[in-house]
Amino acid sequence: MIYITRKEHFNAAHKLCNDAWDKAKNLEVFGKCANENWHGHNYELFVTVKGQVNKDTGFVVNLKDLGDLIKSDIIEILDHKNLNVDVSGLSNILPSTENVSIFIWDILKPKVNAMGAELHCVKLVETENNYVEYFGGK
Ligand code: NI
């Protein structure tokens, strides 16, 4: 088994706000991320897949194909968008780094399988201090 990673990036806006809470509680829990008029992040996305090396190509997957998949199915949907209001798959979900990672995983997993590999990890870097790694499952 060998692991290979493709890195892409996107920019997006969001706010973290639980509508069931009042403004004070949202500010207490989410701090600056609860800012009513949104804020942005430069997200870095690392997609790691695993599999066997193909004897004919020397690849687990063709990284150009993986890059094209991430661009068409993830970056096109998220880049320069407001994650709270522009992305149908994220409506009614708090667009935290955790939830966006799960959203990305659910889209990519079957498509990586169709490429003959297995999705191993979605790593989403939100700031230089914070990132999430999702390996699937609960
Ligand atoms: Ni934020």
Side-chain angles (χ1 to χ4, degrees):
M1 188 71 73
I2 193 160
Y3 298 73
I4 189 164
T5 301
R6 177 77 182 195
K7 178 186 173 190
E8 300 288 345
H9 84 273
F10 60 94
N11 308 312
H14 74 166
K15 71 175 169 184
L16 298 180
C17 177
N18 186 326
D19 292 334
W21 298 341
D22 64 18
K23 194 171 172 177
K25 172 81 170 174
N26 273 296
L27 270 175
E28 178 194 327
V29 173
F30 297 123
K32 280 182 174 178
C33 286
N35 180 46
E36 281 184 46
N37 292 321
W38 326 104
H39 63 279
H41 292 287
N42 297 314
Y43 290 95
E44 291 189 327
L45 172 61
F46 297 79
V47 175
T48 301
V49 307
K50 62 186 174 185
Q52 303 297 326
V53 175
N54 181 297
K55 285 197 182 79
D56 295 329
T57 62
F59 297 159
V60 175
V61 294
N62 185 316
L63 278 178
K64 182 182 182 304
D65 294 344
L66 182 60
D68 287 347
L69 169 65
I70 298 166
K71 284 183 199 121
S72 66
D73 286 46
I74 305 297
I75 306 301
E76 278 294 316
I77 294 170
L78 301 181
D79 190 36
H80 285 68
K81 298 291 169 52
N82 181 324
L83 301 180
N84 294 78
V85 298
D86 292 333
V87 183
S88 60
L90 287 172
S91 58
N92 303 317
I93 297 172
L94 274 170
S96 62
T97 316
E98 292 89 331
N99 281 334
V100 176
S101 299
I102 294 168
F103 171 78
I104 292 168
W105 174 280
D106 288 343
I107 292 171
L108 291 181
K109 183 174 171 51
K111 299 193 173 183
V112 170
N113 288 345
M115 296 171 79
E118 195 178 335
L119 187 56
H120 175 67
C121 180
V122 168
K123 175 179 171 181
L124 188 60
V125 180
E126 188 183 64
T127 71
E128 62 182 0
N129 297 320
N130 301 330
Y131 66 84
V132 161
E133 291 172 298
Y134 183 53
F135 298 92
K138 298 283 179 191

